[in-house]
Amino acid sequence: MSSRARHAFGAHVAEVAVDTVTGEVRVRRLLGVFAAGRILNPRTARSQFTGGMITGLGMALTEGSTLDPEYGDFVKRNLASYHVPVHADVPAVEARRIEEDDPCLGPTGSKGIGEIGIVGTAAAIGNAVHHATGVRLRRLPLTPDRVLGALQG
């Protein structure tokens, strides 16, 4: 076991438009820049980064779980009632990588990139909504009712 950290790093930027009448948030552009050691397969890494960013978009705007208070189980049990981003929801997504060479990483010099695109994207969208409206929402998803409530409150 290595005594050194093997973390990948990323920075995310989102551009949003917020309709102050309906509370709808539309993401216009997403950019993620990642340092994840030596990328062994650039094509699949790009797909992993952009897929994570789209998952983060869903986390920020549509995906929410509801628990049944009586039984403590999830109410939404399938994708018919659980809203995830579809093609029309996905804006221009760009993932870039920074070449990184760390001789302490081992023979491949690679790091894990499985989920690095997700949480940073949701945070970037939340920050973009704050920048656009002046209102900080601290609970996901940023649904129209929550956005309107924050704008009116």
Side-chain angles (χ1 to χ4, degrees), residues 23-110:
E24 181 183 19
V25 176
R26 295 294 290 179
V27 177
R28 301 290 186 221
R29 293 188 298 172
L30 290 173
L31 168 65
V33 181
F34 305 97
R38 180 173 167 232
I39 300 297
L40 303 177
N41 187 327
R43 183 176 293 172
T44 57
R46 181 187 172 281
S47 180
Q48 190 75 33
F49 291 141
T50 58
M53 291 167 69
I54 293 167
T55 301
L57 173 87
M59 179 184 191
L61 299 182
T62 63
E63 298 181 39
S65 298
T66 305
L67 288 175
D68 182 323
E70 185 175 344
Y71 297 106
D73 199 4
F74 291 102
V75 175
K76 300 174 183 178
R77 294 193 174 125
N78 57 46
L79 290 179
S81 60
Y82 190 85
H83 298 285
V84 296
V86 297
H87 189 270
D89 299 319
V90 178
V93 178
E94 185 178 352
R96 296 182 187 174
R97 58 190 168 85
I98 296 173
E99 296 294 331
E100 183 183 21
D101 181 29
D102 186 344
C104 298
L105 287 175
T108 63
S110 63

